[in-house]
């Protein structure tokens, strides 16, 4: 039994019945609104649209002053695209595609003129085009090394040298290695499907063999990968984000545990996308990768980055898309403040669309003159809402998130090289998100490293509009031949030479 000392004073506060009912009603309202907000989020995630777009006219209902409509340039009119500038109907095949010319002529019995029986001459032609597809085929390259010997004395036998192989004692040519890597990490075909495809075409190549090939391919590409990383760390701005992936672990009771893939993207002078694999989401991953970097780091509000910013050499740039998403999700509460805040954020994005092509210095000036006043007005609204909104409500959490990261959210207005959001890195991680639905998990830490190294080149090629298979095939061939000038093999330099 609980004993209370005699000296203890107990104060009882008896509230009036009406006041107790009011508190109970308020608590029930908060609980109901929270459950309704969660239900709305789940329903939108399952059945609703994924985008966070809202009709501009709807948002402007809550603007303090009407804005002038943005002047949208008239679309170009061309024969191919139609009157509206958008493609309609049949689009002509690209001119750079190879063509096979098939000529059709009148039969000899119809070539004579019906009136005078003179042979009619060709005065022109009508050309129509169709796409044709030649299925991929597997062939075997026989490397025949001729032997020579002196017929007179029967000695001094010599044999021709064979070009150096990309991988020692490997059955795959650079073309095959590049095709397997591109199929898995660009087209998201897991190796078991590739094994079945090859078998259908007459080649029996085990998935374990292809896995070994990719690991050795990553070893060859690693010096070039490190060169891309070095260039990224020399950027003024680096964009980063991470996504979870499953990794097979025999020591874990579930035989599987969660690992992480990080992405790092350089600025315009260093247009590379590099992936990094870690076994957890601890801060050690980004801290190790970004060692020596000085500049702006654009990322989400992950606490693991705080130690990177604490030194002062790396400046934090937050993401307005993350802040906007929280207010968008809070709309279900029906609060007018959410729509007012969203309208002001939308004005910031419309300004970014208008100044997108401006030089960095002019972009920073426009942001200072036009974006900062909007941001300052938004700060006043958020401060007011912090006093009104319930802290645990969806709106209250959105306000708290924005105010806690306010200085980092304003960073982009001081430098035209920084973006308004971190969507660039989120788009780069989309390939990993799609891929993991197909290959499901990383087989090991080594497998995660292999995937990240090769995927870095494929993602960079995609960003630069380079054919990744052709790039990998050429680079692997040149590395095998002993080329040591890595700068010329980087995707941006390779593209300049091939152009």
């Amino acid at each position: 039994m609980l004993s209370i000392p005699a000296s203890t004073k107990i104060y009882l506060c008896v509230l009036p019945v009406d006041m107790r009912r009011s508190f109970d009603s308020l608590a029930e309202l908060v609980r109901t609104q929270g459950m309704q907000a969660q239900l709305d989020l789940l329903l939108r995630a399952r059945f609703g649209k994924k985008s966070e777009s809202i009709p501009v006219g709807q948002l402007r209902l809550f603007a303090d002053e009407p804005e002038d409509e943005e002047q949208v340039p008239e679309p170009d009119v061309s024969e191919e695209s139609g009157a509206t500038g958008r493609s309609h109907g049949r689009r002509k095949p690209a001119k750079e595609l190879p063509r096979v010319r098939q000529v059709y002529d009148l039969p000899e019995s119809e070539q004579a003129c019906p009136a005078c029986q003179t042979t009619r001459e060709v005065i022109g032609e009508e050309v129509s085009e169709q796409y044709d597809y030649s299925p991929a085929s597997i062939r075997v390259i026989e490397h025949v090394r001729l032997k020579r010997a002196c017929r007179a004395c029967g000695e001094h036998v010599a044999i021709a040298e064979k070009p150096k192989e990309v991988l020692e004692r490997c059955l795959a040519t650079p073309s095959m290695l590049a095709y397997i890597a591109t199929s898995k990490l660009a087209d998201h075909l897991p190796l078991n499907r590739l094994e079945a495809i090859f078998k259908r075409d007459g080649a029996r190549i085990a998935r374990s063999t292809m896995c070994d090939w990719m690991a050795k391919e990553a070893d060859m590409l690693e010096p070039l990968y490190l060169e891309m990383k070095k260039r990224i760390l020399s950027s003024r701005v680096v964009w980063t984000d991470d996504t979870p992936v499953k990794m097979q672990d025999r020591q874990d009771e579930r035989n599987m545990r969660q690992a992480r893939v990080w992405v790092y993207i350089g600025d315009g002078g260093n247009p590379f996308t590099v992936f990094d694999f870690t076994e957890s989401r601890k801060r050690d991953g980004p801290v190790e990768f970004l060692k020596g970097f000085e500049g702006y780091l654009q990322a989400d509000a992950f606490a693991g980055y705080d130690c990177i910013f604490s030194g002062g050499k790396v400046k934090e740039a937050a993401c307005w898309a993350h802040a906007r998403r929280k207010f968008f999700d809070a709309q279900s509460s029906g609060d007018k403040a959410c729509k007012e805040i969203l309208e002001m954020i939308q004005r910031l994005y419309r300004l970014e669309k208008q100044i997108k092509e401006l030089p960095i210095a002019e972009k920073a000036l426009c942001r200072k003159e036009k974006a900062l006043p909007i941001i300052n007005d938004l700060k006043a609204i958020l401060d007011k809402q912090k006093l009104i909104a319930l802290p645990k409500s969806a709106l209250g959490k959105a306000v708290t998130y924005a105010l806690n990261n306010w200085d980092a959210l304003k960073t982009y207005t001081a430098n035209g090289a920084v973006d308004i959001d971190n969507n660039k890195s989120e788009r780069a991680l989309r390939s990993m998100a799609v891929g993991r639905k197909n290959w499901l998990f990383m087989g090991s830490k080594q497998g995660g490293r292999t995937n990240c190294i090769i995927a870095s080149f494929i993602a960079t090629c995609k960003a630069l509009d380079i054919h990744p298979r052709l790039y990998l095939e050429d680079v692997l061939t040149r590395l095998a031949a002993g080329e040591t000038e890595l700068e010329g093999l980087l995707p941006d330099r390779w593209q300049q030479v091939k152009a």
Side-chain angles (χ1 to χ4, degrees):
M1 180 181 292
L2 178 65
S3 61
I4 301 176
S7 59
T8 303
K9 295 181 179 180
I10 301 176
Y11 296 92
L12 296 177
C13 180
V14 181
L15 295 175
V17 175
D18 292 343
M19 188 175 293
R20 291 203 305 271
R21 287 175 179 172
S22 298
F23 278 118
D24 291 342
S25 299
L26 180 61
E28 180 65 22
L29 177 63
V30 172
R31 188 175 70 86
T32 303
Q33 286 185 345
M35 293 176 63
Q36 184 62 45
Q38 292 181 17
L39 179 60
D40 291 340
L41 285 177
L42 288 171
L43 289 173
R44 185 166 69 86
R46 180 65 180 85
F47 303 108
K49 293 181 178 180
K50 303 299 181 184
S51 67
E52 300 167 10
S53 58
I54 300 178
V56 176
Q58 178 182 339
L59 289 177
R60 289 183 181 175
L61 292 173
F62 301 92
D64 293 333
E65 297 179 2
E67 274 192 88
D68 293 334
E69 289 291 331
E70 182 183 345
Q71 296 297 320
V72 180
E74 290 294 327
D76 294 333
V77 178
S78 63
E79 279 184 27
E80 187 173 330
S81 61
T84 61
R86 298 181 181 179
S87 65
H88 290 284
R90 192 179 305 182
R91 180 176 294 180
K92 294 182 179 180
K95 293 182 179 178
E96 59 268 19
L97 289 175
R99 279 162 166 74
V100 177
R101 186 176 171 88
Q102 295 184 352
V103 181
Y104 307 97
D105 200 355
L106 292 172
E108 289 187 9
S109 59
E110 298 180 15
Q111 291 182 7
C113 174
C116 63
Q117 300 302 312
T118 303
T119 303
R120 288 182 280 194
E121 297 180 357
V122 176
I123 59 172
E125 60 183 24
E126 289 186 7
V127 179
S128 59
E129 297 180 324
Q130 286 182 314
Y131 284 110
D132 183 52
Y133 177 71
S134 297
S137 58
I138 300 176
R139 61 182 182 180
V140 177
I141 304 295
E142 294 183 351
H143 298 278
V144 181
R145 303 165 63 191
L146 297 179
K147 294 182 180 180
R148 289 184 177 272
C150 177
R151 189 175 292 275
C153 61
E155 299 180 359
H156 304 289
V157 178
I159 187 171
E161 289 291 333
K162 187 178 72 170
K164 190 174 180 181
E165 295 178 346
V166 175
L167 303 178
E168 188 175 352
R169 301 185 67 180
C170 176
L171 286 174
T173 65
S175 176
M176 175 63 89
L177 294 173
Y179 175 74
I180 292 172
T182 305
S183 296
K184 181 179 179 182
L185 297 173
D187 303 329
H188 314 298
L189 283 173
L191 296 182
N192 64 310
R193 293 187 201 166
L194 274 174
E195 181 181 6
I197 292 171
F198 289 151
K199 183 179 179 181
R200 190 167 61 231
D201 290 335
R204 296 182 178 273
I205 307 175
R207 70 192 78 172
S208 58
T209 301
M210 289 186 276
C211 191
D212 291 340
W213 289 350
M214 289 189 65
K216 293 176 182 178
E217 184 178 348
D219 290 340
M220 284 191 66
L221 294 171
E222 187 173 18
L224 203 55
Y225 169 86
L226 295 176
E227 190 67 25
M228 289 203 302
K229 174 184 174 181
K230 180 181 175 182
R231 285 276 300 274
I232 285 177
L233 296 181
S234 68
S235 301
R236 291 173 296 177
V237 186
V238 170
W239 290 263
T240 183
D241 203 353
D242 66 286
T243 190
V245 294
K246 292 180 180 180
M247 184 185 75
Q248 199 171 35
D249 185 2
R250 302 292 186 187
Q251 306 300 321
D252 192 277
E253 59 181 8
R254 294 169 299 180
N255 202 32
M256 199 76 64
R257 63 189 178 91
Q258 194 175 88
R260 220 77 188 178
V261 170
W262 307 76
V263 66
Y264 301 90
I265 303 174
D267 58 18
N270 305 283
F272 306 114
T273 301
V274 165
F275 294 101
D276 186 41
F277 180 80
T278 61
E279 296 184 73
S280 68
R281 207 194 181 197
K282 293 181 179 179
R283 66 182 184 180
D284 301 352
V287 168
E288 179 64 28
F289 189 96
L290 295 167
K291 188 179 294 182
F293 170 66
E294 297 182 12
Y296 291 90
L297 181 66
Q298 188 136 30
D300 56 24
F302 172 48
Y305 298 124
D306 291 346
C307 60
I308 298 176
F309 302 129
S310 61
K313 294 183 179 180
V314 180
K315 299 179 181 179
E316 181 180 7
C319 173
W320 273 99
H322 280 77
R324 179 184 62 185
R325 188 172 301 135
K326 296 183 181 298
F327 289 105
F328 186 88
D329 293 340
Q331 285 185 109
S332 59
S333 63
D335 199 316
K336 176 183 175 182
C338 282
K339 295 180 172 58
E340 185 179 7
I341 293 169
L342 284 171
E343 190 280 331
M344 299 187 77
I345 296 176
Q346 195 66 17
R347 287 166 61 188
L348 296 176
Y349 272 88
R350 286 202 296 271
L351 175 62
E352 288 302 303
K353 187 177 180 180
Q354 294 171 11
I355 65 176
K356 182 179 180 180
E357 303 300 330
L358 292 181
I360 291 177
E362 294 182 30
K363 190 181 293 186
L365 184 61
C366 286
R367 287 173 174 173
K368 184 176 181 180
E369 292 177 352
K370 298 181 179 181
L372 267 181
I374 300 174
I375 290 176
N376 293 334
D377 292 342
L378 181 55
K379 176 67 161 55
I381 295 176
L382 293 176
D383 287 335
K384 179 181 177 182
Q385 288 300 319
K386 187 170 180 62
L387 300 175
I388 300 174
L390 296 171
K392 291 189 177 181
S393 66
L395 176 58
K397 292 178 181 178
V399 170
T400 301
Y401 177 89
L403 291 177
N404 286 347
N405 297 282
W406 192 251
D407 290 338
L409 287 170
K410 288 175 59 178
T411 298
Y412 87 101
T413 60
N415 191 315
V418 182
D419 288 346
I420 189 173
D421 55 35
N422 196 35
N423 287 350
K424 184 181 293 186
S425 59
E426 290 193 358
R427 286 192 296 269
L429 280 176
R430 193 173 297 164
S431 63
M432 284 290 175
V434 174
R436 71 186 172 208
K437 293 181 180 179
N438 292 274
W439 37 256
L440 301 180
F441 58 87
M442 304 288 190
S444 63
K445 181 180 178 181
Q446 179 67 23
R449 167 190 168 274
T450 295
N451 275 16
C452 284
I453 288 177
I454 300 176
S456 298
F457 293 96
I458 290 175
T460 300
C461 286
K462 181 179 178 181
L464 295 175
D465 198 22
I466 298 173
H467 196 309
R469 181 181 59 77
L470 298 180
Y471 169 79
L472 287 174
E473 181 180 348
D474 184 59
V475 167
L476 288 172
T477 302
R478 291 162 68 175
L479 286 174
E483 187 161 341
T484 57
E485 185 57 43
L486 298 181
E487 186 71 22
L489 297 179
L490 292 175
D492 59 335
R493 292 289 301 275
W494 186 90
Q495 185 183 41
Q496 293 173 5
V497 173
K498 294 293 180 179

